């Protein structure tokens, strides 16, 4: 992977991790939402990633050279899926959405899990920024050498 390939891969990682952080923030913001348009409580959402392998010129070079590696140019968001775990039953008899027994179905969101995912997304974002800055510095050094 060349310099531009690493920049493109880092840029795709930045975009994907930003969407992941936005989804986590949305989960935390809706952790008390007991009624949605679809009916029932809000369901936790998760972002899934997949390698991006489309459209880079060096892919054909790998194929022609007989190498078996898969050349990728970063990551893409595969989908945003809902967590299938059951909602949490909470005893709140005064809540407007309580059933006859006084239980309310709350979203299946655990704040500790969301914060752990947020830290992970933040670290991945920082790593991509570091790679981007390193690639930029290498390009600047290459231009500096070319001027001499």
């Amino acid at each position: 992977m060349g310099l531009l390939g690493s920049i493109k891969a880092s840029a795709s990682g930045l975009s994907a991790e930003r969407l992941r952080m936005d989804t986590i923030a949305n989960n935390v913001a809706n952790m008390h939402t007991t009624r949605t348009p679809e009916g029932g409580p809000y369901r936790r959402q998760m972002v899934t990633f997949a390698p991006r392998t489309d459209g880079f010129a060096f892919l054909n070079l790998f194929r022609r050279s007989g190498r078996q590696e898969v050349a990728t140019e970063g990551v893409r968001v595969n989908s945003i899926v809902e967590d299938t775990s059951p909602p949490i039953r909470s005893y709140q008899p005064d809540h407007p959405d309580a059933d006859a027994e006084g239980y309310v179905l709350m979203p299946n969101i655990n704040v500790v899990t969301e914060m752990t995912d947020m830290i992970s997304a933040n670290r991945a974002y920082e790593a991509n920024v570091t790679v981007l800055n390193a690639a930029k510095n290498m390009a600047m050094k290459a231009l500096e050498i070319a001027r001499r």
Side-chain angles (χ1 to χ4, degrees):
M1 180 181 298
L3 186 63
L4 293 177
S6 63
I7 290 172
K8 190 170 185 175
S10 290
S12 71
L14 288 171
S15 178
E17 292 300 338
R18 182 192 50 79
L19 178 63
R20 184 173 166 213
M21 285 190 273
D22 288 345
T23 303
I24 294 166
N26 191 40
N27 287 341
V28 173
N30 284 292
M31 67 183 295
H32 296 294
T33 304
T34 58
R35 195 180 310 169
T36 62
E38 297 83 29
Y42 176 83
R43 302 209 51 98
R44 178 177 184 254
Q45 297 179 341
M46 300 175 293
V47 179
T48 61
F49 297 145
R52 176 176 278 163
T53 57
D54 50 7
F56 232 40
F58 68 84
L59 285 174
N60 292 329
L61 294 175
F62 279 120
R63 290 186 189 122
R64 275 188 251 135
S65 68
R67 292 187 184 187
Q68 296 300 316
E69 300 114 33
V70 176
T72 63
E73 57 180 83
V75 67
R76 66 180 173 82
V77 174
N78 193 29
S79 63
I80 298 177
V81 296
E82 285 187 352
D83 188 352
T84 58
S85 62
I88 300 165
R89 288 187 66 190
S90 173
Y91 183 71
Q92 299 178 22
D94 295 335
H95 195 282
D97 292 329
D99 62 12
E101 298 174 359
Y103 286 96
V104 178
L105 294 179
M106 300 297 289
N108 56 350
I109 296 171
N110 181 340
V111 178
V112 175
T113 302
E114 297 302 319
M115 289 296 109
T116 304
D117 287 350
M118 182 67 83
I119 290 169
S120 170
N122 188 33
R123 297 273 166 85
Y125 191 91
E126 289 173 356
N128 280 301
V129 168
T130 301
V131 170
L132 200 58
N133 286 333
K136 181 182 77 168
N137 289 338
M138 283 190 278
M140 294 304 289
K141 289 291 182 187
L143 289 173
E144 192 177 296
I145 292 170
R147 280 190 230 154
R148 293 182 187 175

